[in-house]
Amino acid sequence: MDKAENPIEQLSAYEGELPIIATNRTRWFGGKASDAGRLDNLFAASRFDAVEFVDIELETARAKDWILQEFRENDVQLIISHHDFEETPSQDILDAIIDQCAEYGDIAKVATFPQDQTDTLTLLEAINTATQKGIDVAGISMGEIGSHTRVVGHLYGSKLGYAPLQADEEDYAPGQIPLEKLEALVETTKNASADEHLLSTLEEEEVTVPKEITLSD
Amino acid sequence: MDKAENPIEQLSAYEGELPIIATNRTRWFGGKASDAGRLDNLFAASRFDAVEFVDIELETARAKDWILQEFRENDVQLIISHHDFEETPSQDILDAIIDQCAEYGDIAKVATFPQDQTDTLTLLEAINTATQKGIDVAGISMGEIGSHTRVVGHLYGSKLGYAPLQADEEDYAPGQIPLEKLEALVETTKNASADEHLLSTLEEEEVTVPKEITLSD
């Protein structure tokens, strides 16, 4: 919501079929919202039927855990997220962060910045470990170095993918893969060897996405 | 050589430009060669200029390390390989296997069978660790479960990829990805987000491969 114009108005006008994940981030979390009214606006968004998930930062959940139940009463599921835009924590710490996200919410989401390829494996390991514990987890290793984790993460149980629309071309974060291409790559890695027609699938794939709404993550 | 008809004759007739990796495996190592004369035939192959690499099993290198210098005198580099068709060793053991392969040869190659996705991470970790030590390593997690390691292994330093020709369609091992498709996927993951034209690259990519020779790995 922090990067969208009049997000509440847009939600009112939304007639698409896809469910929406609402987020409203301050600068601290890579967004543009000011602190004042941020959670109130997110709460207002969560009242709309189309909004099925709200993404709340782990740090926010820790500091104000009483709001979580209020959000739940608006019939949304909670993604509790942790972002580290500078580095990737060690395996133990990352596991602990995911565990804590899962305690507060329905889906634990972590996005960490890799200094090298070893850090991308740490992120994949953490996803895999959480999945084996039965946690609904989503994970991304950010930047160019981690870009492939967006493609293979699902194989280790990552439950959410984030992709910009082709129309947002100017606005990709480093490592992001546009929606159609990401979908094709994910499909390919689902069973890379079984289907000799996958290359033609990559050509023919058509994805329809609502263009009306510009809420972005 | 064990699966090719008259491989030495084929090598004599070979006029392609691509360098060749020669292997000659017994059943023990997933091949069809009988023990008698197996290494002599591989040695004969190594005399051809086009044969730039010979792949020798770690177990063979251990048992008969005196042959390695003889191969080197034919001006080939040595890939020392370890295959486990049933499971993936623990991280420590896999690291030790790769170290030993690297002591005997120029390139250490490991192919292990995964029981689950955790095993595919173990293989990727081992490749990454060896690369950081400065070892020229190649690694594959076999079967359907490990198929994606053929695509992303290069990001962790894996130096060799194995892919059947499209013409061999009937003869894929599980998890193998045909050459053109593997090349397109590897190119895509080299920098998944930077080039918006990558999908069209996948369509347009044309790979020319020699059809004359059927030596297979």
Side-chain angles (χ1 to χ4, degrees):
Chain A
M1 298 174 71
D2 52 281
K3 289 178 182 165
E5 276 187 39
N6 303 320
I8 297 294
E9 275 178 40
Q10 284 197 60
L11 282 170
S12 285
Y14 180 64
E15 293 182 343
E17 287 178 13
L18 293 178
I20 289 171
I21 299 173
T23 100
N24 197 13
R25 308 242 196 255
T26 62
R27 278 198 192 165
W28 254 86
F29 304 117
K32 294 182 171 177
S34 57
D35 267 336
R38 176 177 80 98
L39 291 172
D40 289 339
N41 282 335
L42 190 59
F43 189 75
S46 74
R47 291 178 179 274
F48 289 92
D49 282 347
V51 175
E52 295 189 8
F53 295 87
V54 168
D55 179 323
I56 294 173
E57 310 76 28
L58 175 60
E59 296 75 5
T60 306
R62 274 186 196 143
K64 306 185 176 183
D65 63 349
W66 65 87
I67 66 169
L68 302 180
Q69 185 53 36
E70 295 186 30
F71 275 99
R72 286 190 191 287
E73 284 166 13
N74 285 345
D75 203 24
V76 290
Q77 292 196 63
L78 301 179
I79 299 168
I80 304 295
S81 61
H82 175 76
H83 294 74
D84 189 327
F85 295 101
E86 293 189 353
E87 58 179 13
T88 301
S90 68
Q91 195 75 63
D92 287 353
I93 291 176
L94 197 50
D95 290 346
I97 288 170
I98 292 173
D99 289 350
Q100 201 172 23
C101 288
E103 279 168 33
Y104 284 115
D106 304 291
I107 299 180
K109 176 194 165 191
V110 286
T112 55
F113 191 84
Q115 304 286 352
D116 55 28
Q117 287 294 358
T118 302
D119 285 342
T120 70
L121 285 174
T122 301
L123 187 276
L124 292 175
E125 290 274 8
I127 296 173
N128 189 55
T129 300
T131 300
Q132 291 190 325
K133 286 181 199 165
I135 293 174
D136 283 332
V137 67
I140 293 164
S141 188
M142 296 185 279
E144 296 294 344
I145 290 176
S147 189
H148 65 289
T149 64
R150 299 171 184 270
V151 177
V152 300
H154 71 96
L155 295 167
Y156 299 103
S158 188
K159 297 288 190 295
L160 294 168
Y162 292 82
L165 303 182
Q166 201 75 37
D168 298 336
E169 202 169 303
E170 304 292 300
D171 210 25
Y172 294 179
Q176 282 194 334
I177 303 169
L179 183 60
E180 288 188 36
K181 187 169 144 198
L182 182 62
E183 186 184 29
L185 288 169
V186 166
E187 285 301 318
T188 302
T189 51
K190 272 188 184 162
N191 194 339
S193 71
D195 183 355
E196 77 233 40
H197 301 299
L198 276 171
L199 264 184
S200 54
T201 307
L202 283 172
E203 293 161 20
E204 290 159 17
E205 201 83 42
E206 274 241 14
V207 182
T208 51
V209 287
K211 305 287 185 192
E212 302 82 18
I213 198 147
T214 58
L215 300 182
S216 65
D217 181 89
Chain B
M1 297 173 73
D2 52 282
K3 289 178 182 165
E5 275 186 40
N6 303 320
I8 297 294
E9 275 178 39
Q10 284 197 61
L11 282 170
S12 284
Y14 180 63
E15 294 182 341
E17 287 178 12
L18 293 178
I20 289 171
I21 300 173
T23 100
N24 197 13
R25 308 240 196 256
T26 62
R27 279 199 193 165
W28 254 86
F29 304 117
K32 294 182 171 177
S34 58
D35 267 335
R38 174 176 81 98
L39 291 172
D40 289 340
N41 282 335
L42 190 59
F43 189 75
S46 73
R47 291 178 179 275
F48 289 92
D49 282 347
V51 175
E52 294 189 9
F53 295 87
V54 168
D55 180 324
I56 294 173
E57 310 77 27
L58 175 60
E59 296 76 4
T60 306
R62 274 186 196 143
K64 307 185 177 183
D65 63 349
W66 66 87
I67 65 168
L68 301 180
Q69 185 52 36
E70 295 186 30
F71 274 99
R72 286 189 192 285
E73 284 166 13
N74 285 346
D75 203 25
V76 290
Q77 291 197 64
L78 301 180
I79 299 167
I80 304 295
S81 61
H82 174 75
H83 294 74
D84 189 326
F85 296 101
E86 293 190 352
E87 58 178 12
T88 300
S90 69
Q91 196 76 61
D92 288 354
I93 292 175
L94 196 51
D95 290 345
I97 287 169
I98 291 173
D99 289 349
Q100 201 171 25
C101 288
E103 280 168 31
Y104 285 115
D106 304 291
I107 298 179
K109 177 194 165 190
V110 286
T112 55
F113 191 84
Q115 305 287 354
D116 55 28
Q117 287 293 359
T118 302
D119 285 342
T120 69
L121 284 174
T122 301
L123 187 279
L124 292 175
E125 289 274 6
I127 296 173
N128 189 54
T129 300
T131 299
Q132 292 189 325
K133 285 181 198 163
I135 293 173
D136 283 331
V137 66
I140 294 164
S141 188
M142 295 185 280
E144 296 293 344
I145 290 176
S147 189
H148 64 290
T149 63
R150 299 171 185 270
V151 177
V152 299
H154 71 95
L155 295 168
Y156 299 103
S158 188
K159 298 287 191 292
L160 294 169
Y162 292 82
L165 303 182
Q166 200 73 41
D168 297 337
E169 203 168 302
E170 305 291 300
D171 210 23
Y172 294 1
Q176 282 192 334
I177 303 169
L179 182 59
E180 287 189 36
K181 187 170 141 197
L182 182 62
E183 186 185 29
L185 288 170
V186 165
E187 285 301 319
T188 302
T189 51
K190 271 188 184 161
N191 194 339
S193 72
D195 184 352
E196 78 230 40
H197 302 300
L198 276 169
L199 263 184
S200 54
T201 307
L202 284 171
E203 292 162 19
E204 289 159 17
E205 200 85 42
E206 275 243 11
V207 183
T208 52
V209 286
K211 303 289 184 191
E212 302 83 18
I213 197 147
T214 57
L215 301 181
S216 65
D217 181 273

